[in-house]
Amino acid sequence: MFNKRIRIRELLAMEPQGQEVTVMGWVRTFRNNQFIALNDGSTNQNIQVLVELGSQGEELLKRVTTSASLKVTGTIVPSLGKGQKMDLKAARIEILGDSDAEKYPLQPKKHSLEFLREIAHLRFRTNTFGAVFRVRHALAFAIHRFFNEKGFVYMHTPIITASDAEGAGEMFRVSTLPFDQTPRNDKGEVDFKQDFFGRATNLTVSGQLEGELGATAFGEIYTFGPTFRAENSNTARHLAEFWMIEPEMAFYDLEDNMNLAEEFIKYIIRYAMEHNREDLEFLAQRLADEEKQLPQEKRSEMGLLEKLEFVLNNGFERLTYTDAIEILKESNHNKKKKFQYPITGWGMDLQSEHERYLVEKHFKKPVILYNYPAAIKAFYMRQNDDCAPGQPTVAAMDILAPGIGEIVGGSQREERLHKLEDRMKEIGIPLEELWWYLDTRRYGTVPHAGFGLGFERMVQFVTGMTNIRDVIAFPRTPGSAEF
Ligand code: ATP
Ligand code: MN
């Protein structure tokens, strides 16, 4: 039986008084044939295993190499050395798995994040990734806890979908048709009638449309699942496969939606601050060290923990798209032509440099922009009734976070059937394709709203990791799907 072990995290919380324990883990270092630093992934801290001279066979000790896996039974005693509270005096050491230290790619030194991405199968064994992925776990757990406490129903929306009307991004086709002899119809087009589902299908870009079906029965639902976008944007904030949380609520307007999103973000940050203090302190230090290499003006004004505290203790700035354009237009940054994309005026789509200017330079806190021009937003967003002439807007809202840019995108949904149909016709979405979606507007339609939070962008924000590839276990990006 293996399960009579204690995790190092729990062990280190004990008062060492000679208790007998068994730990299992992987060797980080072995010094002087005496001190083994053993790690089991429950914390970045290692337990120092004390090997008393002559107590273990020499052959065995030779096999205690970096990353070998061990089972150690012994007693815990207060440490005589500095840097740790206790030592585990080994009575019995068993090698569970050898590791060829010559070939093991992770040496006990600092590796670059780029190099670690190439060995993503082993990078969890570093302190940085240990901390990042424990925080990621905590955030995922906090998300479920938040919605459960609020009475939301967790809904699993499909991963394979036939609707290609959402326009959220480029899609990955799902097909079992042969590549070399694709069946064609009379017009010479690929005949998807012969495909597995009898029609063309894709990986989902969002669970929202199905989420709305749930909300109009349960009142409040949320999804938390993988989404896929074949966008060829090689940025530090885009993945081809990422996880999204999409709550959808009946009887909510845009303001309710913003309130929920802000409360939600603060809740999950607070949860991580309370439960993952040690990991966040480690990541804060890591970020501070990394930023020391940057020129002064590129460094963050606040440390990671300070930033998270600040977000918890301050309201997000809320302003309309129209006001944001005004601020950007009047900014010195724009007047000195420092934006790569100049502010051309009302109606333009905001680039990430504009969003970051508002958040990082102007307001210096998270910002919620709302009431966007209808033309740059999706068909299902609610058309505002009180728009300025020639400037139709929809009840959309985006939340912008320092260092990341857009982290949430949401809206009140158009619940009025004729308005929704008119909009779909206007931009050429066939009504019959979304007959089931339109049915919710036919049978007891209600005001409702929802949003999508990109999970990895949230993890980036909380961990301070600058590249999104470093907060998901095995990133999928253009040209890369190893592991
Ligand atoms: P962006 O403008 O940054 O590409 P978007 O407008 O395409 O975002 P939405 O369609 O509103 O984003 O998706 C909701 C949320 O999902 C975004 O706010 C963001 O947090 C996240 N997100 C969108 N695309 C990606 C991606 N390719 N990789 C990781 N997260 C993403
Ligand atoms: Mn996008």
Side-chain angles (χ1 to χ4, degrees):
M1 193 166 92
F2 267 103
N3 257 333
K4 277 189 101 175
R5 69 168 175 119
I6 183 165
R7 287 207 175 80
I8 291 169
R9 181 186 160 92
E10 286 141 37
L11 180 65
L12 293 176
M14 287 166 57
E15 275 315 311
Q17 296 165 335
Q19 303 94 314
E20 193 189 89
V21 298
T22 297
V23 297
M24 298 181 207
W26 295 267
V27 175
R28 284 278 170 93
T29 56
F30 187 23
R31 288 187 295 122
N32 302 343
N33 245 7
Q34 253 179 35
F35 307 105
I36 305 172
L38 195 71
N39 188 278
D40 70 357
S42 60
T43 160
N44 271 348
Q45 293 187 55
N46 306 317
I47 179 75
Q48 171 156 284
V49 177
L50 212 55
V51 183
E52 283 173 312
L53 284 178
S55 69
Q56 310 289 333
E58 237 169 74
E59 278 312 303
L60 181 119
L61 291 186
K62 273 196 205 138
R63 293 168 62 198
V64 178
T65 53
T66 302
S67 213
S69 49
L70 308 185
K71 172 178 179 180
V72 181
T73 303
T75 49
I76 47 171
V77 294
S79 181
L80 298 176
K82 273 196 270 183
Q84 65 274 324
K85 165 167 130 185
M86 67 177 74
D87 291 337
L88 171 57
K89 240 199 276 182
R92 251 189 344 274
I93 297 178
E94 195 184 312
I95 310 275
L96 298 175
D98 290 289
S99 169
D100 184 342
E102 299 283 298
K103 292 194 182 137
Y104 184 60
L106 273 178
Q107 296 303 316
K109 62 160 197 169
K110 203 169 152 40
H111 292 291
S112 74
L113 295 173
E114 289 79 10
F115 170 73
L116 292 172
R117 254 171 246 153
E118 290 169 18
I119 51 164
H121 60 308
L122 296 171
R123 66 178 175 170
F124 306 120
R125 296 187 191 185
T126 65
N127 284 339
T128 296
F129 288 91
V132 165
F133 284 93
R134 280 187 298 268
V135 171
R136 182 178 164 116
H137 160 80
L139 290 170
F141 180 76
I143 286 164
H144 287 298
R145 196 168 98 159
F146 175 81
F147 287 118
N148 190 54
E149 280 172 5
K150 289 211 167 278
F152 283 51
V153 169
Y154 179 27
M155 182 172 165
H156 298 99
T157 50
I159 293 187
I160 300 175
T161 68
S163 66
D164 56 359
E166 294 161 49
E170 292 296 307
M171 297 192 284
F172 289 99
R173 170 132 290 151
V174 175
S175 173
T176 55
L177 291 177
F179 282 115
D180 37 3
Q181 286 176 325
T182 356
R184 305 262 161 187
N185 62 19
D186 310 341
K187 290 187 207 144
E189 300 158 348
V190 175
D191 185 11
F192 287 106
K193 287 214 177 68
Q194 296 187 44
D195 205 347
F196 188 90
F197 296 104
R199 59 193 298 180
T201 52
N202 304 283
L203 293 178
T204 185
V205 293
S206 154
Q208 180 205 316
L209 299 189
E210 290 93 347
E212 286 185 50
L213 311 181
T216 49
F218 295 108
E220 287 120 328
I221 65 96
Y222 71 106
T223 72
F224 186 174
T227 47
F228 308 85
R229 296 188 186 179
E231 48 198 357
N232 208 351
S233 35
N234 241 319
T235 76
R237 341 173 276 126
H238 286 93
L239 291 163
E241 175 180 296
F242 65 100
W243 288 68
M244 190 149 55
I245 299 96
E246 295 182 279
E248 201 60 45
M249 300 75 64
F251 321 115
Y252 266 57
D253 66 10
L254 186 66
E255 194 182 350
D256 298 320
N257 201 21
M258 294 195 256
N259 291 343
L260 181 79
E262 183 168 340
E263 186 189 345
F264 169 54
I265 289 173
K266 289 179 172 170
Y267 179 101
I268 62 179
I269 292 176
R270 189 172 296 116
Y271 183 89
M273 301 271 283
E274 281 168 9
H275 293 82
N276 294 67
R277 194 80 206 176
E278 187 187 295
D279 285 330
L280 289 176
E281 277 167 7
F282 174 85
L283 290 165
Q285 189 57 50
R286 193 203 73 85
L287 187 63
D289 292 344
E290 193 182 270
E291 292 204 340
K292 275 191 203 131
Q293 332 242 337
L294 297 176
Q296 190 72 40
E297 73 273 12
K298 290 230 164 120
R299 295 183 201 166
S300 320
E301 278 172 35
M302 289 183 202
L304 181 64
L305 293 171
E306 219 185 332
K307 175 189 84 176
L308 295 175
E309 283 293 347
F310 179 85
V311 168
L312 290 186
N313 297 327
N314 289 280
F316 296 2
E317 188 71 33
R318 299 182 187 191
L319 76 160
T320 63
Y321 165 91
T322 305
D323 289 344
I325 286 288
E326 217 36 55
I327 290 174
L328 288 167
K329 201 159 72 189
E330 294 305 315
S331 68
N332 277 333
H333 211 75
N334 187 46
K335 289 181 175 159
K336 289 190 187 146
K337 302 202 180 341
K338 282 198 189 154
F339 286 126
Q340 197 191 336
Y341 296 89
I343 305 300
T344 51
W346 198 93
M348 69 179 286
D349 207 352
L350 295 181
Q351 301 294 327
S352 111
E353 58 170 342
H354 307 137
E355 298 177 342
R356 293 185 64 161
Y357 176 85
L358 288 171
V359 172
E360 287 157 30
K361 296 279 185 312
H362 191 84
F363 291 110
K364 297 182 193 287
K365 55 155 115 164
V367 170
I368 311 185
L369 290 187
Y370 63 95
N371 289 351
Y372 280 78
I376 57 170
K377 288 290 179 182
F379 74 93
Y380 49 72
M381 298 188 176
R382 192 174 197 279
Q383 298 159 43
N384 286 321
D385 297 318
D386 51 351
C387 307
Q391 300 193 334
T393 59
V394 287
M397 63 109 178
D398 281 1
I399 302 186
L400 315 176
I404 312 277
E406 181 186 331
I407 190 161
V408 161
S411 72
Q412 188 173 338
R413 316 305 189 192
E414 183 55 81
E415 84 282 12
R416 298 161 297 185
L417 180 64
H418 64 282
K419 292 239 179 206
L420 185 55
E421 287 182 338
D422 287 350
R423 183 75 186 134
M424 288 171 72
K425 283 182 207 151
E426 203 177 314
I427 55 181
I429 300 172
L431 300 188
E432 55 288 0
E433 216 171 88
L434 289 178
W435 63 274
W436 45 271
Y437 182 69
L438 293 171
D439 263 4
T440 54
R441 274 66 169 175
R442 290 193 181 102
Y443 308 119
T445 192
V446 287
H448 65 289
F451 63 85
L453 170 79
F455 186 49
E456 283 74 20
R457 291 203 190 159
M458 189 68 215
V459 181
Q460 275 190 279
F461 184 71
V462 175
T463 59
M465 299 300 285
T466 42
N467 196 311
I468 199 165
R469 292 167 180 79
D470 297 328
V471 299
I472 188 163
F474 304 110
R476 270 73 180 106
T477 50
S480 158
E482 190 71 49
F483 311 107

